[in-house]
Amino acid sequence: MSAASCLRSEDQFLCCICLDVFTDPVSTPCGHNFCKNCINEHWNSNDQYLCPMCNKVFNTRPKLHINTLLSEVVSQFRQEAQQKASSSSSEQQADKPGEVPCDVCTGTKLKALKSCLVCLASYCETHLEPHLTASRLKRHQLMDPVENLEDRMCMKHDKPLELFCKTDQTCVCTLCSVLDHKTHEFVPLKEEYEGKKAELGKTEAEIQEMVQKRRLKIQEIKQSVDLSKEAADREKAEGVQVFTALKESVERSLNELIETIEEKQRTTEKQAEDFIKELEQEISELKKRSSEVEKLSHSADHLHLLQNFPSLKAAPPTKDWTEVSIRPSYEGTVVKAVTQLDEMLSKHMKKLFEAELKRVQQYAVDVTLDPDTAHSELILSDDGKQVHHGDVMKKNLPYNPKRCTRYVHVLGKQSLSSGRFYFEVQVKEKTDWDLGVARESINRKGKITLRPQYGFWAICLRNGNEYRAGNNPPVHLSLKSRPQKVGVFVDYEEGLVSFYDLDAAALIYSFTGCSFTEKLYPYFSPCPNNGGKNSAPLIICPVNQTE
């Protein structure tokens, strides 16, 4: 049987549903054949019973019986196909898609085993034999089979590309090396191949290293998410605990306030009730005396009137009610309760502050002042921990691009480009000062404004009592007391800069939602001496972590 007839026969034995040789073939009333299971599943999944081939619709589901004749023919076809496959398994297979075919084979192309760079042809096992036995052909360069061997030939000289021109970074033939590229540097393809292969190996190693770094970064990010979740859960639990306690305290204070007011009202009502009872009793006595007086005044018995007159002339003894009043006073009751609640809340706030401060203090850094950034009128201590304005003529200092020349500022030596840091500064006895952090690219020579868009996140004191945060617009701060020592905390990734009054145990101000893109440095300005009124220094203090 020819290949064409075999294919036609196979087409006749294919089910149009599964596209495979029939299994248990059945025939529909319209004469088309299908696998029994295929047509049943087809009808089970559709609302109508129609033929997949001609779309004929059947009113009722046809009863299907296996086509015995077709089943026998299909079985015979399967046997013949298996025998053909078995007989050809011992022979060399023809080339498959993706494999290089033999250039010599006629008819069915067999798979090539080698390609010859001299002959520019690929050979199967049979046609390769001369290259393995003939002495002249043995000198030809064989390689693993490749397609498009003509691409390995010099298009200009029709010679194999055997050299690599390092000057032009291209593959050339031997004629190119003495004609078009005679002044260039050449190496054999194999040598360049080895070099490039080594580079690829290095590149692969670098890529693998990059992959590993990114995997580690993924792990780091996942760990950060886990830590964040733990921190969030911890904060939520602490928040619930604190606010539950506050809620209970407020409810308890409210209940105590209501009970106090109601008790005072009960006392007032009892006092009024006693007064009314006493007054009613006196009224009863007075009415009784009035009745006796009236009766005596109508008496015609002279002797009787004169004898009883002395006892009835005067009113019966009674209480002087002139100064007696019911004036319940509730003024101050609510104020007192709120004051007590405020004291209780202050205690809670102090505990929360201490916990917050303890958390940020763990990021304390040993900050020192950078003399290269200090304005020429500033005087720094030898240990770099104190700075004040000298109120003297400018020192003749060498030019330094880092130095602040217009305003009396100085930066810290330490910088932050990720993570968190914290430091504390003593500001007592000063009437003016600036304190915070500044980005590396601030204007150090010209006019500046203490605002985030100019690279400053700072708070300041002016005229001894005016506290401001350098935001846009500036924020006036109402502080209960003058800070003596200020804590500064920065969370780079969170975009947070917070200032704490350590003596009052209170948060002064926070810059939130900041976008940091470069290094941040601690920023200090003791401000002008002002004739000695502001001579006290800013002092960077060691951080004593709270217990």
Side-chain angles (χ1 to χ4, degrees):
M1 184 181 294
S2 66
S5 63
C6 181
L7 288 174
R8 284 197 298 271
S9 297
E10 185 174 358
D11 289 341
Q12 294 171 357
F13 300 143
L14 295 183
C15 170
C16 70
I17 297 177
C18 66
L19 302 179
D20 201 354
V21 178
F22 289 121
T23 301
D24 296 333
V26 295
S27 300
T28 60
C30 57
H32 295 111
N33 301 310
F34 307 95
C35 297
K36 182 178 182 181
N37 188 53
C38 291
I39 189 64
N40 281 327
E41 289 186 357
H42 177 74
W43 284 343
N44 289 338
S45 60
N46 289 276
D47 297 333
Q48 291 181 315
Y49 305 120
L50 53 82
C51 174
M53 289 288 290
C54 64
N55 292 328
K56 179 176 177 59
V57 178
F58 306 107
N59 295 328
T60 59
R61 183 165 182 162
K63 293 184 178 179
L64 301 175
H65 302 283
I66 294 178
N67 188 326
T68 307
L69 177 60
L70 181 57
S71 179
E72 292 177 355
V73 175
V74 169
S75 177
Q76 184 179 358
F77 172 80
R78 289 182 185 275
Q79 291 176 2
E80 291 176 354
Q82 290 176 356
Q83 290 174 1
K84 182 175 177 61
S86 176
S87 62
S88 61
S89 62
S90 59
E91 299 177 1
Q92 184 180 3
Q93 294 182 348
D95 68 295
K96 299 178 182 178
E99 295 179 344
V100 178
C102 176
D103 290 325
V104 182
C105 287
T106 59
T108 302
K109 295 282 188 179
L110 299 181
K111 183 177 75 171
L113 296 183
K114 292 290 182 179
S115 294
C116 177
L117 293 179
V118 178
C119 303
L120 293 180
S122 299
Y123 303 104
C124 65
E125 182 178 1
T126 301
H127 295 117
L128 182 64
E129 183 67 23
H131 277 76
L132 302 177
T133 56
S135 57
R136 179 177 61 83
L137 297 178
K138 282 183 178 181
R139 293 194 296 269
H140 289 191
Q141 185 177 351
L142 299 177
M143 62 179 298
D144 290 336
V146 293
E147 293 181 320
N148 303 322
L149 283 168
E150 60 274 9
D151 293 341
R152 298 174 178 268
M153 299 293 291
C154 176
M155 297 179 64
K156 187 173 183 179
H157 303 111
D158 198 27
K159 294 287 185 180
L161 299 174
E162 300 177 344
L163 300 174
F164 183 80
C165 176
K166 296 181 74 68
T167 305
D168 292 342
Q169 291 291 300
T170 185
C171 298
V172 297
C173 69
T174 53
L175 285 179
C176 289
S177 64
V178 297
L179 296 176
D180 303 327
H181 301 258
K182 60 183 179 181
T183 61
H184 295 179
E185 180 183 358
F186 300 94
V187 293
L189 285 182
K190 184 176 182 181
E191 180 179 335
E192 185 65 20
Y193 161 82
E194 294 295 341
K196 290 293 191 288
K197 187 176 181 180
E199 288 184 20
L200 287 176
K202 182 179 179 182
T203 301
E204 183 182 5
E206 291 174 351
I207 293 174
Q208 290 299 323
E209 183 179 357
M210 293 171 66
V211 170
Q212 184 62 23
K213 286 182 178 179
R214 279 149 183 78
R215 286 175 176 167
L216 293 174
K217 179 57 69 175
I218 290 174
Q219 293 180 359
E220 178 185 333
I221 292 173
K222 288 182 177 179
Q223 290 175 355
S224 297
V225 171
D226 292 339
L227 292 175
S228 175
K229 186 177 184 305
E230 292 177 4
D233 292 341
R234 184 171 59 251
E235 288 295 315
K236 285 193 293 185
E238 183 177 344
V240 169
Q241 181 181 358
V242 169
F243 277 90
T244 299
L246 290 176
K247 180 182 176 183
E248 291 174 353
S249 298
V250 171
E251 290 177 348
R252 184 166 55 251
S253 297
L254 177 60
N255 292 334
E256 291 175 356
L257 171 64
I258 293 173
E259 178 61 29
T260 299
I261 294 173
E262 290 178 348
E263 177 62 29
K264 187 173 289 189
Q265 176 63 16
R266 286 193 294 269
T267 300
T268 299
E269 291 176 355
K270 179 64 170 60
Q271 185 181 30
E273 183 181 342
D274 291 342
F275 285 161
I276 291 171
K277 185 176 182 180
E278 189 175 351
L279 285 167
E280 288 177 343
Q281 184 175 355
E282 289 188 357
I283 289 172
S284 177
E285 292 293 333
L286 290 171
K287 288 174 70 176
K288 181 179 178 182
R289 177 64 60 87
S290 175
S291 176
E292 292 176 351
V293 169
E294 182 182 5
K295 181 178 179 181
L296 183 63
S297 65
H298 290 89
S299 174
D301 186 344
H302 302 152
L303 179 62
H304 177 71
L305 186 148
L306 293 173
Q307 289 178 335
N308 290 282
F309 177 81
S311 60
L312 296 177
K313 177 184 178 184
T318 56
K319 183 176 180 179
D320 183 5
W321 293 93
T322 305
E323 302 298 329
V324 176
S325 64
I326 299 295
R327 295 193 183 94
S329 176
Y330 298 100
E331 287 75 9
T333 305
V334 176
V335 173
K336 181 180 178 181
V338 172
T339 300
Q340 292 175 344
L341 181 61
D342 182 59
E343 292 175 354
M344 179 270 296
L345 291 175
S346 297
K347 292 180 180 179
H348 278 288
M349 288 298 296
K350 186 173 182 180
K351 290 181 180 179
L352 288 175
F353 176 82
E354 290 174 351
E356 172 71 13
L357 185 61
K358 185 176 181 180
R359 280 196 292 269
V360 301
Q361 282 182 331
Q362 65 179 317
Y363 302 105
V365 293
D366 184 16
V367 174
T368 53
L369 302 171
D370 184 358
D372 289 340
T373 66
H375 186 274
S376 58
E377 293 180 3
L378 293 180
I379 299 176
L380 277 59
S381 61
D382 293 338
D383 61 0
K385 295 294 186 179
Q386 300 186 28
V387 58
H388 68 277
H389 183 242
D391 205 14
V392 294
M393 295 296 292
K394 293 184 179 180
K395 294 173 285 187
N396 187 17
L397 297 175
Y399 174 81
N400 190 320
K402 297 169 59 177
R403 191 178 308 285
C404 304
T405 58
R406 182 162 181 173
Y407 298 97
V408 287
H409 300 162
V410 61
L411 301 180
K413 287 183 178 180
Q414 293 69 26
S415 66
L416 175 76
S417 56
S418 65
R420 307 174 178 93
F421 71 53
Y422 173 84
F423 60 95
E424 295 177 354
V425 181
Q426 179 180 299
V427 297
K428 69 178 182 179
E429 299 180 2
K430 293 192 65 61
T431 60
D432 300 88
W433 51 260
D434 300 346
L435 184 61
V437 293
R439 68 186 179 209
E440 188 174 27
S441 63
I442 58 170
N443 183 359
R444 307 186 187 209
K445 308 301 180 183
K447 184 178 180 180
I448 63 170
T449 304
L450 289 184
R451 292 184 184 178
Q453 60 264 46
Y454 298 105
F456 294 89
W457 291 266
I459 61 173
C460 62
L461 169 66
R462 294 292 182 267
N463 304 319
N465 57 8
E466 298 176 11
Y467 292 92
R468 294 198 302 267
N471 215 326
N472 187 23
V475 179
H476 292 272
L477 306 174
S478 298
L479 306 183
K480 293 183 178 180
S481 60
R482 290 170 56 89
Q484 304 297 302
K485 185 187 292 186
V486 176
V488 182
F489 172 69
V490 179
D491 188 326
Y492 196 95
E493 282 75 20
E494 189 68 21
L496 173 70
V497 181
S498 294
F499 299 86
Y500 301 93
D501 183 343
L502 301 181
D503 296 296
L507 175 68
I508 298 175
Y509 186 76
S510 286
F511 292 89
T512 59
C514 308
S515 179
F516 302 130
T517 58
E518 54 185 275
K519 290 181 180 179
L520 297 179
Y521 290 85
Y523 162 76
F524 310 85
S525 175
C527 294
N529 192 328
N530 196 15
K533 295 180 181 179
N534 190 39
S535 60
L538 290 177
I539 303 175
I540 302 172
C541 305
V543 176
N544 298 318
Q545 297 192 10
T546 57
E547 296 298 331

